Amino acid sequence: MQAYISVDMEGIAGIATLDQILRGGYGYPRAQELMTEEANAAICGAFDGGATSVIVNDSHGTMDNLIHERLDPRARLVFGAPKAQCMAEGLTEDCAVALFVGYHAPAGAPGVLAHTFSAHFGEIRINGSRVSEAEVNALYANSLGVPVGLVTGDDVISEIASVAFPAAEIVTVKAAHGFSAADSIAPSVARKLIREAATRAVSRAADMSSPPVALSFEIEVDMPSPVAAELAASIPGCARTADRTVSTVLTSVKDLLGLITVLYELATGSERARTAIVTRR
């Protein structure tokens, strides 16, 4: 039985500031350690629950944050960016269950370091509703027949996940006290809770079912600038529906994740170009 783990950084215990999650920040090396150890807790729990193999996807930022030599050697690691399926890369129909570790609230919600796929995006909406990364990745998992068995993060994403994934284990490792402030439990306690929850999730994976997926998705993405929206609207099928918003209708969750990945790169590149122009002035 194969278990799939997608690990982000913003929802890890002991992490709350931009200095911790951005490469080059003083706190980033310590955040890498915290992220790696929570990944290990989920891996150990997955094997405790009966998994015979585990695949881990590094899902934060540049997607090469986990400290490889300290990761449980029983697991395989997918890392690096860009990846076509982004935070769900490596997830296949062969997986029995998906575990989301270190996840966070969507852009516009009052969670720790809240955003949706890119700090340069505003909201992402599917069929008119604001969505989190967990919900988008769950759509992909469900399209493959894979249920979501675990979500860990702050109290805001925990509340969202408890509604979106009623059968999943939820582990709340901190309470949001602002965008970059939190009341966190000790990392050692978080790891114990995550290992136990991962064990329960994997052990009952066979009894979980993935909900049906809609036949089509209207996706709206709020881009960082009018220029970025103009460029995004040149993607076949996409239309600019507001000053900074692009929209399209898709019939495949794989295409939906692929579009988000392309828009992520476009948003990042346009913001770097804008920053460079401002700096030269």
Side-chain angles (χ1 to χ4, degrees):
M1 178 172 62
Q2 184 173 80
Y4 177 84
I5 303 174
S6 174
V7 188
D8 206 350
M9 184 179 276
E10 289 88 352
I12 300 292
I15 293 177
T17 69
L18 289 169
D19 179 70
Q20 291 177 289
I21 65 167
L22 297 176
R23 187 176 299 277
Y26 180 79
Y28 175 74
R30 176 58 179 155
Q32 286 182 281
E33 296 177 4
L34 294 172
M35 181 183 180
T36 302
E37 292 307 321
E38 283 200 16
N40 278 336
I43 294 167
C44 288
F47 280 111
D48 291 345
T52 55
S53 63
V54 173
I55 184 166
V56 177
N57 182 25
D58 189 325
S59 298
H60 174 70
T62 55
M63 299 186 172
D64 60 346
N65 310 276
L66 292 167
I67 304 171
H68 295 202
E69 64 269 23
R70 289 181 51 179
L71 201 66
D72 190 315
R74 293 175 294 176
R76 293 187 64 85
L77 177 63
V78 178
F79 66 100
K83 294 181 287 202
Q85 303 310 310
C86 199
M87 299 176 73
E89 187 76 19
L91 179 59
T92 70
E93 61 274 7
D94 295 326
C95 298
V97 64
L99 313 178
F100 297 159
V101 176
Y103 271 51
H104 53 81
V112 177
L113 301 167
H115 65 281
T116 311
F117 288 99
S118 171
H120 299 309
F121 289 156
E123 288 185 357
I124 292 182
R125 295 173 294 279
I126 295 179
N127 296 337
S129 298
R130 180 179 68 191
V131 291
S132 64
E133 295 169 1
E135 291 165 291
V136 175
N137 295 330
L139 279 177
Y140 185 65
N142 293 335
S143 74
L144 299 172
V146 180
V148 175
L150 171 68
V151 179
T152 81
D154 72 6
D155 57 327
V156 180
I157 190 59
S158 291
E159 184 176 355
I160 292 170
S162 65
V163 175
F165 320 119
E169 300 284 336
I170 308 295
V171 178
T172 304
V173 303
K174 56 192 172 189
H177 279 215
F179 179 77
S180 54
D183 174 358
S184 177
I185 64 176
S188 59
V189 175
R191 294 165 198 161
K192 179 176 183 295
L193 294 174
I194 290 169
R195 180 170 182 170
E196 292 171 347
T199 299
R200 292 192 297 270
V202 174
S203 66
R204 59 187 183 86
D207 299 322
M208 295 182 186
S209 59
S210 54
V213 176
L215 297 178
S216 67
F217 311 90
E218 180 185 17
I219 179 171
E220 300 171 278
V221 179
D222 296 335
M223 299 295 285
S225 67
V227 171
E230 289 174 6
L231 293 172
S234 67
I235 298 172
C238 288
R240 187 179 178 192
T241 56
D243 185 42
R244 301 186 180 207
T245 303
V246 292
S247 175
T248 190
V249 175
L250 299 169
T251 58
S252 160
V253 188
K254 181 178 180 181
D255 290 344
L256 188 151
L257 271 176
L259 177 64
I260 289 173
T261 299
V262 171
L263 292 178
Y264 176 99
E265 296 296 326
L266 182 60
T268 302
S270 66
E271 283 302 283
R272 285 175 179 164
R274 186 185 66 81
T275 301
I277 291 171
V278 171
T279 302
R280 288 198 297 268
R281 287 179 177 173

Tab-separated table of all heavy atoms in Angstrom, residues 32-59:
chain	number	residue	atom	x	y	z
A	32	GLN	N	13.810	24.657	7.730
A	32	GLN	CA	14.047	23.422	6.977
A	32	GLN	C	14.079	22.211	7.908
A	32	GLN	O	13.527	21.157	7.593
A	32	GLN	CB	15.384	23.494	6.238
A	32	GLN	CG	15.415	24.382	5.011
A	32	GLN	CD	16.779	24.327	4.340
A	32	GLN	OE1	17.726	24.972	4.799
A	32	GLN	NE2	16.878	23.547	3.284
A	33	GLU	N	14.731	22.364	9.050
A	33	GLU	CA	14.812	21.271	10.013
A	33	GLU	C	13.426	20.912	10.545
A	33	GLU	O	13.074	19.726	10.628
A	33	GLU	CB	15.734	21.659	11.167
A	33	GLU	CG	17.181	21.880	10.769
A	33	GLU	CD	18.039	22.333	11.934
A	33	GLU	OE1	17.512	22.388	13.068
A	33	GLU	OE2	19.228	22.624	11.729
A	34	LEU	N	12.643	21.936	10.890
A	34	LEU	CA	11.309	21.697	11.421
A	34	LEU	C	10.421	21.008	10.376
A	34	LEU	O	9.671	20.074	10.691
A	34	LEU	CB	10.678	23.023	11.857
A	34	LEU	CG	11.345	23.724	13.036
A	34	LEU	CD1	10.750	25.123	13.226
A	34	LEU	CD2	11.192	22.911	14.322
A	35	MET	N	10.524	21.461	9.134
A	35	MET	CA	9.746	20.871	8.043
A	35	MET	C	10.147	19.411	7.823
A	35	MET	O	9.291	18.530	7.652
A	35	MET	CB	9.960	21.688	6.767
A	35	MET	CG	9.200	21.205	5.546
A	35	MET	SD	9.642	22.225	4.105
A	35	MET	CE	8.640	21.459	2.827
A	36	THR	N	11.436	19.149	7.833
A	36	THR	CA	11.936	17.792	7.606
A	36	THR	C	11.470	16.841	8.701
A	36	THR	O	11.065	15.697	8.425
A	36	THR	CB	13.469	17.792	7.525
A	36	THR	OG1	13.893	18.661	6.469
A	36	THR	CG2	14.017	16.394	7.277
A	37	GLU	N	11.487	17.309	9.945
A	37	GLU	CA	11.096	16.430	11.046
A	37	GLU	C	9.595	16.153	11.051
A	37	GLU	O	9.159	15.063	11.425
A	37	GLU	CB	11.554	17.022	12.379
A	37	GLU	CG	13.062	17.035	12.564
A	37	GLU	CD	13.687	15.660	12.330
A	37	GLU	OE1	13.102	14.643	12.740
A	37	GLU	OE2	14.769	15.597	11.710
A	38	GLU	N	8.767	17.126	10.637
A	38	GLU	CA	7.326	16.830	10.538
A	38	GLU	C	7.056	15.875	9.369
A	38	GLU	O	6.172	15.016	9.454
A	38	GLU	CB	6.505	18.110	10.406
A	38	GLU	CG	6.343	18.834	11.731
A	38	GLU	CD	5.183	19.816	11.778
A	38	GLU	OE1	4.293	19.756	10.898
A	38	GLU	OE2	5.169	20.638	12.702
A	39	ALA	N	7.824	16.013	8.297
A	39	ALA	CA	7.711	15.051	7.199
A	39	ALA	C	8.064	13.655	7.698
A	39	ALA	O	7.368	12.670	7.393
A	39	ALA	CB	8.610	15.453	6.042
A	40	ASN	N	9.122	13.556	8.483
A	40	ASN	CA	9.523	12.258	9.034
A	40	ASN	C	8.444	11.670	9.936
A	40	ASN	O	8.212	10.455	9.932
A	40	ASN	CB	10.828	12.392	9.815
A	40	ASN	CG	12.051	12.376	8.917
A	40	ASN	OD1	12.004	11.845	7.813
A	40	ASN	ND2	13.142	12.958	9.380
A	41	ALA	N	7.783	12.527	10.702
A	41	ALA	CA	6.719	12.053	11.581
A	41	ALA	C	5.594	11.433	10.760
A	41	ALA	O	5.055	10.369	11.109
A	41	ALA	CB	6.191	13.209	12.431
A	42	ALA	N	5.237	12.098	9.656
A	42	ALA	CA	4.178	11.573	8.787
A	42	ALA	C	4.614	10.277	8.102
A	42	ALA	O	3.819	9.342	7.946
A	42	ALA	CB	3.789	12.613	7.754
A	43	ILE	N	5.886	10.219	7.683
A	43	ILE	CA	6.407	8.998	7.048
A	43	ILE	C	6.355	7.828	8.028
A	43	ILE	O	5.875	6.735	7.695
A	43	ILE	CB	7.854	9.224	6.557
A	43	ILE	CG1	7.900	10.266	5.430
A	43	ILE	CG2	8.462	7.908	6.078
A	43	ILE	CD1	9.304	10.763	5.106
A	44	CYS	N	6.854	8.048	9.243
A	44	CYS	CA	6.847	6.985	10.243
A	44	CYS	C	5.420	6.535	10.534
A	44	CYS	O	5.142	5.335	10.645
A	44	CYS	CB	7.512	7.473	11.527
A	44	CYS	SG	9.304	7.663	11.420
A	45	GLY	N	4.512	7.516	10.652
A	45	GLY	CA	3.129	7.171	10.911
A	45	GLY	C	2.515	6.366	9.784
A	45	GLY	O	1.745	5.425	10.018
A	46	ALA	N	2.860	6.732	8.546
A	46	ALA	CA	2.334	6.004	7.392
A	46	ALA	C	2.776	4.541	7.423
A	46	ALA	O	1.969	3.625	7.208
A	46	ALA	CB	2.776	6.667	6.099
A	47	PHE	N	4.046	4.314	7.717
A	47	PHE	CA	4.532	2.937	7.793
A	47	PHE	C	3.931	2.210	8.993
A	47	PHE	O	3.593	1.024	8.909
A	47	PHE	CB	6.059	2.909	7.844
A	47	PHE	CG	6.715	3.080	6.502
A	47	PHE	CD1	7.421	4.233	6.197
A	47	PHE	CD2	6.628	2.086	5.540
A	47	PHE	CE1	8.022	4.396	4.949
A	47	PHE	CE2	7.217	2.230	4.297
A	47	PHE	CZ	7.924	3.393	3.993
A	48	ASP	N	3.771	2.936	10.116
A	48	ASP	CA	3.123	2.327	11.285
A	48	ASP	C	1.698	1.882	10.942
A	48	ASP	O	1.204	0.889	11.480
A	48	ASP	CB	3.059	3.331	12.445
A	48	ASP	CG	4.418	3.661	13.039
A	48	ASP	OD1	5.377	2.920	12.765
A	48	ASP	OD2	4.509	4.664	13.772
A	49	GLY	N	1.038	2.632	10.046
A	49	GLY	CA	-0.338	2.345	9.688
A	49	GLY	C	-0.497	1.276	8.626
A	49	GLY	O	-1.630	0.947	8.251
A	50	GLY	N	0.610	0.756	8.110
A	50	GLY	CA	0.526	-0.338	7.153
A	50	GLY	C	1.007	-0.022	5.753
A	50	GLY	O	0.932	-0.876	4.865
A	51	ALA	N	1.504	1.191	5.516
A	51	ALA	CA	2.028	1.511	4.188
A	51	ALA	C	3.256	0.648	3.890
A	51	ALA	O	4.074	0.384	4.773
A	51	ALA	CB	2.402	2.983	4.101
A	52	THR	N	3.363	0.214	2.645
A	52	THR	CA	4.538	-0.541	2.222
A	52	THR	C	5.509	0.340	1.441
A	52	THR	O	6.661	-0.032	1.236
A	52	THR	CB	4.125	-1.742	1.355
A	52	THR	OG1	3.324	-1.279	0.255
A	52	THR	CG2	3.314	-2.732	2.178
A	53	SER	N	5.027	1.503	1.001
A	53	SER	CA	5.893	2.480	0.355
A	53	SER	C	5.290	3.867	0.573
A	53	SER	O	4.072	4.008	0.724
A	53	SER	CB	6.051	2.200	-1.143
A	53	SER	OG	4.806	2.312	-1.810
A	54	VAL	N	6.165	4.864	0.600
A	54	VAL	CA	5.744	6.248	0.835
A	54	VAL	C	6.472	7.155	-0.143
A	54	VAL	O	7.697	7.044	-0.309
A	54	VAL	CB	6.042	6.697	2.279
A	54	VAL	CG1	5.750	8.188	2.444
A	54	VAL	CG2	5.234	5.887	3.281
A	55	ILE	N	5.718	8.036	-0.792
A	55	ILE	CA	6.321	9.041	-1.659
A	55	ILE	C	6.029	10.410	-1.074
A	55	ILE	O	4.894	10.702	-0.680
A	55	ILE	CB	5.823	8.927	-3.116
A	55	ILE	CG1	6.551	9.932	-4.008
A	55	ILE	CG2	4.307	9.093	-3.211
A	55	ILE	CD1	6.367	9.670	-5.485
A	56	VAL	N	7.055	11.243	-0.972
A	56	VAL	CA	6.944	12.578	-0.388
A	56	VAL	C	7.200	13.617	-1.468
A	56	VAL	O	8.164	13.505	-2.227
A	56	VAL	CB	7.964	12.767	0.764
A	56	VAL	CG1	7.895	14.186	1.325
A	56	VAL	CG2	7.716	11.743	1.866
A	57	ASN	N	6.347	14.618	-1.529
A	57	ASN	CA	6.535	15.720	-2.467
A	57	ASN	C	6.851	16.984	-1.685
A	57	ASN	O	6.049	17.442	-0.865
A	57	ASN	CB	5.264	15.931	-3.302
A	57	ASN	CG	5.430	17.038	-4.340
A	57	ASN	OD1	6.537	17.335	-4.771
A	57	ASN	ND2	4.322	17.641	-4.731
A	58	ASP	N	8.027	17.564	-1.895
A	58	ASP	CA	8.402	18.852	-1.308
A	58	ASP	C	7.578	19.918	-2.019
A	58	ASP	O	7.760	20.172	-3.210
A	58	ASP	CB	9.904	19.087	-1.500
A	58	ASP	CG	10.421	20.303	-0.738
A	58	ASP	OD1	9.676	21.296	-0.622
A	58	ASP	OD2	11.582	20.262	-0.293
A	59	SER	N	6.672	20.561	-1.299
A	59	SER	CA	5.667	21.413	-1.929
A	59	SER	C	5.789	22.895	-1.593
A	59	SER	O	4.869	23.667	-1.873
A	59	SER	CB	4.266	20.922	-1.517
A	59	SER	OG	4.032	19.613	-1.960
